[in-house]
Amino acid sequence: MAEKSVPHFQNSAGLREIRVGAKEFMCIGAKPPFDHPHVYLDMGSDSETVCPYCSTLYRYDSTLKSGTCAPADALWIDSEAA
């Protein structure tokens, strides 16, 4: 059985807001080694949420492809796990 992939987003640029095409995702803070504990965020029926560690505002954008974000470089892919 294939596992559902949960997108990971990072905010090394220190942006106030990141638009995301997913309502369930992980925030890692900045890119490693400056990341915070990876926290699972679920917006539920809301359209935005704030990371309790880094205070990044994540806003759901239905025009974005699932699992993507704007700016695009806020998407984090673990090269060691890939």
Side-chain angles (χ1 to χ4, degrees):
M1 181 165 116
E3 287 187 38
K4 178 181 173 185
S5 178
V6 175
H8 288 58
F9 301 113
Q10 57 83 23
N11 190 6
S12 293
L15 303 170
R16 181 185 154 321
E17 174 183 316
I18 296 174
R19 293 181 299 121
V20 295
K23 288 197 162 199
E24 298 175 3
F25 56 90
M26 299 285 284
C27 177
I28 71 163
K31 291 179 184 175
F34 305 108
D35 51 336
H36 61 54
H38 299 191
V39 58
Y40 178 79
L41 300 172
D42 183 349
M43 291 184 197
S45 62
D46 294 333
S47 61
E48 62 185 37
T49 192
V50 175
C51 175
Y53 285 97
C54 65
S55 300
T56 299
L57 172 65
Y58 289 97
R59 190 177 311 268
Y60 178 69
D61 184 339
S62 63
T63 65
L64 293 172
K65 184 177 174 185
S66 179
T68 64
C69 59
D73 64 352
L75 179 65
W76 182 70
I77 298 171
D78 184 357
S79 60
E80 293 180 11

